Amino acid sequence: VVSSWALPDKVTVNVPSEGRYLVWLESADGRTVFLPPVESVGGKVELDIAALKKRFADTAEETLKNARVGAYDLKFGNLALVTPKPNDTSVTITPDQFRYAMRVQVRLQTPDDKPIAAAFVMLTDADNTIHAALLEPSKGGVVSLERVRLGKVSLLVNYGNNLTASQEAEIQAERADPVVTLTMVISSGAPVLEGTPSASSGPESAPSASRPAAVPRAFPVWNTVLGLLLLAGVLYGGYRWWKSRQLTVQEAFKKLGIDLGPEPPPGQPIAQKPPVQVPEGHCPFCGQPIDPVTGACACTVAPGAATVGASTAATTAVATAPRLVGARGAYGGTVFEIMGVEATIGREAGNTIQLSNDNTVSRRHARLLQQGHGWVIRDEGSSNGTWVNGVRVTEHPLRPGDEIQIGSTFFRWEV
């Protein structure tokens, strides 16, 4: 055994000048590559041993012991393995030293070319070295072996229920394919990969007499017509449903036989009733005298005394509570009575007036506030704004008959 520690810092590897070769440095057992493969130029490759000594430092002598040079012939796929001599600055590899086939494929198949699914393959080469591999279904009937000595080889295959098959072959040094392929035919008893077409059956083989070729059927025309009619019916029904959701108050009452008259054009305030003449010192809403000290009357509600839908002694004195009447839009025909001194309007839950079915309404859209004997509406920073009689407002006093737009719904303010 010769130690490679005596190798100089650089070693020149000489390979045949004709042809292409890859050269590298590996461990004695071939499991570790110290220097990666480099293609020869002009039949020479320089190996930088100094870099390896520096990398391994104190363990270099033990690590690089018996390191050997590997050379691969790209044309024939053969391998040469040479261990440098101590103090040699060059290594010469001759053609007769390429004694191994780098890769050997063993193909197992049936007589009709179907791949074998599973088997255990053993190959004994000319050096009596045994190469073994397990054939699995995922490998498609082919196993690969590496670094097989050229010359005569013998194959032994175990398969099925303790069945065996053997075959002799010879691997030539010069061949057309760098990868050696040995094909072994297993006649019976071996598991076969199902669904794999054999070589004898091409993709365009003619149909057999017992199974005539399928003839495409024409799709009946009446099926198409029926499908179109059904689609039209669904679309028409959806349109009618949508139209029914868009009915205004006037249209809804007209369907019941009650004519409320023409609807005012969009953006125009609804016609207001003439104001009722109220004597001085009386409330314009309930008509009752106003207390000169407190400013309260019969319809005054204390803060927090009532909410929407509640009934209290104070509110029973009012002929009609203030309310928003949906004139048209998403909430056309809906009436919201305001039973307290304040009401919030918005899309999210928790609002006094929740308009959850209108995505154009903000979560906190507007607020109705009682101020003295009247009401004001205040926008709460909504995205689409609060509109009174076609004008966008931030805060605006309300009068009976005012048209208020919240989102896509137009309301009429009534007291």
Side-chain angles (χ1 to χ4, degrees):
V1 178
V2 179
S3 173
S4 62
W5 179 245
L7 291 176
D9 290 344
K10 285 191 178 293
V11 174
T12 301
V13 180
N14 301 301
V15 294
S17 57
E18 295 183 0
R20 298 174 57 200
Y21 298 88
L22 296 177
V23 178
W24 64 92
L25 187 70
E26 64 178 34
S27 60
D29 57 8
R31 296 180 180 178
T32 305
V33 176
F34 297 131
L35 293 175
V38 178
E39 187 170 353
S40 62
V41 177
K44 296 181 181 296
V45 172
E46 296 288 339
L47 299 180
D48 188 2
I49 307 299
L52 291 177
K53 294 178 180 180
K54 183 177 180 180
R55 182 177 19 151
F56 294 118
D58 296 339
T59 62
E61 182 174 2
E62 182 65 25
T63 303
L64 299 176
K65 183 184 296 184
N66 299 327
R68 60 188 181 184
V69 175
Y72 176 68
D73 184 352
L74 291 170
K75 180 179 180 181
F76 296 118
N78 294 329
L79 170 68
L81 297 172
V82 178
T83 301
K85 295 180 180 180
N87 301 318
D88 278 354
T89 58
S90 65
V91 175
T92 300
I93 301 178
T94 59
D96 62 308
Q97 290 179 295
F98 288 87
R99 300 168 183 166
Y100 302 91
M102 188 66 167
R103 186 179 177 194
V104 175
Q105 287 186 339
V106 179
R107 184 183 303 276
L108 303 180
Q109 62 187 41
T110 63
D112 55 352
D113 298 337
K114 291 185 177 180
I116 302 300
F120 184 72
V121 179
M122 290 186 295
L123 183 148
T124 304
D125 63 16
D127 282 340
N128 288 325
T129 301
I130 297 177
H131 306 265
L134 179 65
L135 174 62
E136 301 173 355
S138 61
K139 295 182 179 179
V142 179
V143 295
S144 294
L145 306 172
E146 294 183 352
R147 303 191 177 196
V148 177
R149 180 63 185 264
L150 300 176
K152 291 184 178 181
V153 298
S154 60
L155 286 171
L156 179 64
V157 178
N158 293 329
Y159 63 93
N161 188 14
N162 201 25
L163 299 175
T164 61
S166 61
Q167 180 175 306
E168 302 289 331
E170 185 169 357
I171 302 176
Q172 302 292 335
E174 296 185 3
R175 51 191 182 273
D177 192 343
V179 178
V180 178
T181 301
L182 303 177
T183 301
M184 188 172 184
V185 177
I186 307 296
S187 58
S188 62
V192 179
L193 288 177
E194 298 296 337
T196 304
S198 63
S200 59
S201 60
E204 299 181 358
S205 56
S208 62
S210 60
R211 187 178 62 185
V215 179
R217 295 185 301 171
F219 193 80
V221 177
W222 63 268
N223 280 354
T224 304
V225 175
L226 180 60
L228 292 176
L229 289 176
L230 289 175
L231 178 61
V234 171
L235 292 176
Y236 179 73
Y239 171 76
R240 294 292 299 173
W241 175 85
W242 178 80
K243 288 292 291 181
S244 66
R245 298 278 293 181
Q246 303 296 319
L247 289 177
T248 63
V249 178
Q250 284 80 0
E251 291 171 340
F253 275 93
K254 195 170 184 179
K255 284 182 173 291
L256 298 176
I258 303 173
D259 190 2
L260 299 180
E263 183 182 1
Q268 297 295 326
I270 300 176
Q272 302 178 16
K273 298 178 182 179
V276 179
Q277 298 296 327
V278 180
E280 185 177 355
H282 288 67
C283 175
F285 298 101
C286 64
Q288 301 299 316
I290 299 175
D291 190 318
V293 178
T294 63
C297 64
C299 66
T300 301
V301 181
T307 59
V308 173
S311 177
T312 64
T315 58
T316 55
V318 184
T320 57
R323 58 184 183 173
L324 286 175
V325 179
R328 61 184 183 275
Y331 285 87
T334 305
V335 178
F336 296 97
E337 290 193 352
I338 315 301
M339 303 301 291
V341 295
E342 180 178 338
T344 58
I345 306 172
R347 193 177 71 250
E348 69 178 4
N351 285 288
T352 312
I353 299 175
Q354 183 181 354
L355 306 177
S356 57
N357 293 335
D358 190 347
N359 291 330
T360 61
V361 176
S362 298
R363 288 177 294 181
R364 289 280 183 176
H365 197 105
R367 184 182 300 269
L368 290 167
L369 298 167
Q370 185 179 20
Q371 291 186 355
H373 301 289
W375 288 79
V376 298
I377 187 167
R378 178 186 300 162
D379 186 77
E380 296 288 295
S382 63
S383 300
N384 295 317
T386 301
W387 302 73
V388 177
N389 298 328
V391 178
R392 186 167 184 169
V393 299
T394 302
E395 183 171 322
H396 190 77
L398 296 176
R399 295 180 300 171
D402 280 348
E403 183 183 66
I404 303 171
Q405 181 182 355
I406 304 291
S408 64
T409 303
F410 291 82
F411 294 97
R412 183 173 61 253
W413 175 250
E414 294 183 356
V415 293

